[in-house]
Amino acid sequence: MAAERSLKPDENHEKLFDDVFGLIKNYLVKYHERTSKVIDFKLPSELNKQIDFRVGDNGVDAKDILSLCDKVLSLSVHTCHPHFYNTLFGDADEIGLLGAFVSATSNTNVFTYEMAPVYTLMESQVFTQIRELVGWDVGDGIFSPGGSISNLYGLLLARFKQFPESRNAGNYGLPKMALFCSKQSHYSVLKSAIVMGIGLGNVTQIKCDLNGRMIASELDSELAKAVSSGIVPVAVVATAGTTVLGSIDPLDQVADVCEKHKVWLHVDAAVGGALLFSRKHRQSLAGIERADSMTWNPHKSMGAPLQCSCFVTKHQHMLAECNSTEAGYLFQKDKKSYDSSLDTGDKSIQCGRLADVFKLWLMWKHEGMLGLEKRIDWCMDLRDYFKDKIQARRPRFRLLVQEPDLTNVCFWYVPPCLDDLAVPGPTDFRIVSSERLNKVAPIIKARMVAKGNMMMAYQPLPGGVPNCLRMVIINPMSTKKDMDFVLDEIEALGHDIAV
Ligand SMILES: *Cc1c(COP(=O)(O)O)cnc(C)c1O
């Protein structure tokens, strides 16, 4: 007979908890220092030497666990580093991180009130306050595992509104459906089209202006064209903060077009939703209150730890009407101890759901409305500083968008070897579309990763636009000196490039 195993954490584990938390604290101190490395890039062959990934017959002891945790932290990308500008998420807010530890400790699922009483009420309050920010009196919402899934929620509701019978019959017997978004929208709209059986071929990507914003009149004519050929437009996805350029579609104009054609408007504000907190900048989201639904990722520009994404809608009961299947084993309607309408799980397309709300709520509670506003306003100020520096003093740097809407700043660095291309003034390299310029950003990126002291992404843009670098300012601890550092560093990495 197997020996009985104590289920109580033994003393060893108590010490291990202290040790691992000590490790985490040291890690955060070390990698918040600008002198440490952002990344110590290793190829798989080297990583395989550093960590034995295979699980053996016998387990490992506490000492090994500590050392494995240490290795995993030090060999991962240090997204908390002040010079990490690579993605639209980064340094996790420390209060939010504590929230992540605490909610992981309670290890529960937010599907019924019974299983998650505190988190259920917390979610409800957070959605009320998000609605207040947007300007909706009623509505509903759900935390989801990311902006892509939040966008899917919006599109699912849109189809349900248009064709309630699709819940039961699927797409069979329905007219051909189409989705509309801009050429700069997030690729999750395309993925939703696959998931929903609408098909990639039935997503119309509307042209953008030079600032990367959807052209509302183009949307109008594409919608009219679809309708006249018997296609039913199910939803328009406007983007408030596109992933690359950070552009905000003209929401009021897009809402006018949607009203005219009676189409559901979903606003993907995964990035731009944070502006709702800023009295100074929220004007650029004007019209968002006219949308039917919205995505917002607090794990992006707000610094909540991954994953933390909200889907919100002004349609009060529609999430449940669209998604519920009333699994009897979980969502009993004859619960004696509380009102079963408190159970949020059946509104979701998942079963179990993490208490992601706690990461956001705890940091929001700590900062207050004004703290989050300050955070956003500071990043926007730094964006201006960075952009002004490029425009006024850095002739080798060229902005793709002269007046960016958010804190993404996309630019080309033009090394001396391309001086034949670089006529003075704000040359539009979208038109130049140089094969040679296209090669510059990948070289800078490779040198950057090898050096390891900062990280920034590069990307091409639709229409053969040459690769550009994308600066993202979302860390409220960033300084003007950091902005100067970034420009100096790119110059240092790129000046001797020969293409
Ligand atoms: C990042 C992003 C998403 C997807 O969010 P995930 O949480 O990564 O799934 C959706 N829309 C926009 C505009 C984004 O930038």
Side-chain angles (χ1 to χ4, degrees):
M1 214 175 92
E4 202 175 300
R5 245 188 107 166
S6 165
L7 294 177
K8 260 180 78 187
D10 57 29
E11 242 169 87
N12 226 353
H13 286 187
E14 233 177 276
K15 180 171 178 316
L16 184 58
F17 264 76
D18 288 340
D19 289 346
V20 171
F21 274 106
L23 189 76
I24 290 170
K25 275 195 277 184
N26 290 340
Y27 173 86
L28 290 173
V29 170
K30 177 173 176 187
Y31 290 104
H32 276 124
E33 291 288 343
R34 286 165 174 75
T35 47
S36 62
K37 277 187 148 195
V38 184
I39 180 172
D40 183 7
F41 183 76
K42 301 234 178 316
L43 290 168
S45 54
E46 299 169 84
L47 267 190
N48 274 315
K49 275 184 222 143
Q50 302 229 5
I51 298 178
D52 183 4
F53 286 101
R54 193 181 158 76
V55 175
D57 286 342
N58 294 313
V60 301
D61 62 13
K63 205 167 91 273
D64 293 328
I65 294 294
L66 182 63
S67 132
L68 286 171
C69 292
D70 190 14
K71 277 189 199 169
V72 166
L73 278 177
S74 60
L75 292 167
S76 294
V77 177
H78 311 305
T79 61
C80 67
H81 193 286
H83 293 315
F84 177 82
Y85 309 101
N86 201 73
T87 46
L88 295 167
F89 64 88
D91 189 21
D93 179 274
E94 287 190 349
I95 304 297
L97 191 54
L98 291 173
F101 293 142
V102 170
S103 58
T105 304
S106 56
N107 194 38
T108 195
N109 262 322
V110 194
F111 42 38
T112 61
Y113 177 79
E114 184 177 54
M115 280 308 298
V118 182
Y119 300 130
T120 298
L121 297 187
M122 202 176 273
E123 280 191 343
S124 164
Q125 180 58 30
V126 162
F127 288 130
T128 301
Q129 292 197 241
I130 294 175
R131 276 203 306 275
E132 284 169 12
L133 286 168
V134 177
W136 292 335
D137 297 334
V138 293
D140 203 357
I142 195 132
F143 275 80
S144 90
S148 306
I149 305 297
S150 294
N151 284 342
L152 175 62
Y153 271 111
L155 297 172
L156 286 170
L157 291 201
R159 180 178 56 186
F160 176 75
K161 173 98 186 304
Q162 188 80 39
F163 299 115
E165 67 274 26
S166 66
R167 207 183 107 84
N168 192 45
N171 292 342
Y172 299 102
L174 296 186
K176 195 166 170 182
M177 294 179 274
L179 304 175
F180 297 77
C181 57
S182 89
K183 282 196 192 300
Q184 297 284 343
S185 65
H186 191 259
Y187 67 102
S188 52
V189 179
L190 295 172
K191 287 191 182 278
S192 293
I194 301 176
V195 174
M196 293 170 70
I198 288 177
L200 288 177
N202 299 307
V203 180
T204 301
Q205 294 182 308
I206 308 297
K207 263 194 234 141
C208 293
D209 63 17
L210 283 181
N211 291 311
R213 304 174 190 141
M214 186 196 283
I215 302 172
S217 58
E218 293 276 337
L219 174 67
D220 188 23
S221 53
E222 288 293 341
L223 283 169
K225 210 159 83 189
V227 172
S228 71
S229 48
I231 294 168
V232 177
V234 168
V236 169
V237 178
T239 313
T242 59
T243 311
V244 177
L245 295 172
S247 307
I248 300 176
D249 290 342
L251 300 180
D252 250 330
Q253 291 174 33
V254 171
D256 286 343
V257 175
C258 290
E259 246 169 56
K260 177 178 160 193
H261 294 271
K262 299 196 172 50
V263 183
W264 183 283
L265 172 58
H266 175 77
V267 176
D268 178 358
V271 193
L275 291 192
L276 288 170
F277 288 86
S278 166
R279 282 164 293 178
K280 187 169 167 201
H281 296 290
R282 63 161 295 147
Q283 190 48 35
S284 44
L285 297 179
I288 197 166
E289 70 285 353
R290 298 171 65 192
D292 292 284
S293 57
M294 174 185 109
T295 291
W296 175 44
N297 276 7
H299 73 228
K300 284 190 166 164
S301 31
M302 203 57 98
L306 284 161
Q307 305 270 11
C308 191
S309 175
C310 309
F311 168 77
V312 274
T313 172
K314 69 177 174 200
H315 300 276
Q316 200 171 1
H317 303 293
M318 209 179 276
L319 268 172
E321 288 166 359
C322 174
N323 295 326
S324 66
T325 53
E326 296 172 0
Y329 82 96
L330 205 50
F331 306 113
Q332 305 89 342
K333 295 288 179 213
D334 53 357
K335 282 183 179 163
K336 297 287 183 228
S337 51
Y338 67 94
D339 176 359
S340 63
S341 70
L342 285 165
D343 295 347
T344 56
D346 211 14
K347 293 192 288 203
S348 124
I349 55 172
Q350 304 173 244
C351 172
R353 222 157 36 80
L354 282 175
D356 288 326
V357 64
F358 191 54
K359 295 177 275 198
L360 172 63
W361 182 84
L362 199 64
M363 63 176 276
W364 194 352
K365 193 89 176 152
H366 175 246
E367 297 271 346
M369 303 299 286
L370 299 180
L372 291 192
E373 176 180 48
K374 250 195 226 151
R375 198 180 168 123
I376 300 306
D377 286 351
W378 174 241
C379 290
M380 292 291 271
D381 286 352
L382 277 184
R383 186 274 319 264
D384 285 340
Y385 178 85
F386 187 80
K387 174 187 74 108
D388 293 347
K389 269 283 158 77
I390 287 185
Q391 281 168 328
R393 295 178 204 277
R394 302 272 182 160
R396 297 211 167 276
F397 289 75
R398 300 299 172 85
L399 296 173
L400 263 85
V401 169
Q402 302 301 313
E403 295 298 334
D405 292 329
L406 271 170
T407 60
N408 301 16
V409 184
C410 288
F411 60 88
W412 292 285
Y413 173 74
V414 185
C417 77
L418 290 182
D419 275 353
D420 50 329
L421 282 179
V423 294
T427 314
D428 191 348
F429 288 101
R430 270 174 292 231
I431 298 160
V432 174
S433 181
S434 155
E435 282 294 317
R436 287 160 70 209
L437 181 59
N438 199 42
K439 291 181 184 148
V440 172
I443 298 175
I444 292 179
K445 173 74 186 228
R447 291 178 175 183
M448 189 187 287
V449 169
K451 192 167 171 190
N453 63 346
M454 76 176 252
M455 268 182 91
M456 184 185 290
Y458 77 88
Q459 59 277 301
L461 279 161
V465 176
N467 279 314
C468 63
L469 288 153
R470 182 192 63 178
M471 174 67 170
V472 177
I473 306 157
I474 49 167
N475 187 340
M477 307 305 276
S478 289
T479 63
K480 291 182 178 172
K481 237 172 110 182
D482 291 331
M483 302 300 109
D484 293 332
F485 165 85
V486 167
L487 293 170
D488 289 342
E489 193 58 23
I490 299 229
E491 189 106 43
L493 290 168
H495 76 278
D496 66 343
I497 285 177
V499 287

